[in-house]
Amino acid sequence: MAQKMTFDGKEYDLDALSEAARSQVINLRATDQEIARTEALLAILQTARRAYAHVLKGELEKTDSTSH
């Protein structure tokens, strides 16, 4: 069974594409994978930032309670 791909709502047989078109398919797939990896990393960093902010808030509350 031939591999297919859909682009702009139209299905294409990968074997029927030119070498240049197949190269661009590879580029798009690699870029999509990198975007997904970057989005996952961003989610991790945002979670870490929230955790650091939460700890900082607790530390600042301790400072506020001892300075009054």
Side-chain angles (χ1 to χ4, degrees):
M1 177 180 260
Q3 286 189 327
K4 305 260 186 212
M5 66 158 288
T6 302
F7 186 76
D8 281 346
K10 186 174 177 186
E11 190 173 86
Y12 296 89
D13 180 351
L14 289 177
D15 293 334
L17 298 179
S18 68
E19 189 64 34
R22 282 195 300 273
S23 179
Q24 294 310 309
V25 169
I26 291 167
N27 291 339
L28 280 172
R29 287 178 176 173
T31 303
D32 287 343
Q33 289 173 349
E34 190 64 23
I35 289 168
R37 189 192 67 77
T38 301
E39 287 172 340
L41 178 58
L42 179 58
I44 291 166
L45 293 172
Q46 288 170 329
T47 299
R49 187 184 190 289
R50 282 191 296 273
Y52 298 146
H54 179 75
V55 171
L56 175 59
K57 182 178 180 179
E59 291 300 314
L60 294 175
E61 288 172 353
K62 286 181 197 176
T63 301
D64 286 345
S65 66
T66 60
S67 66
H68 290 184

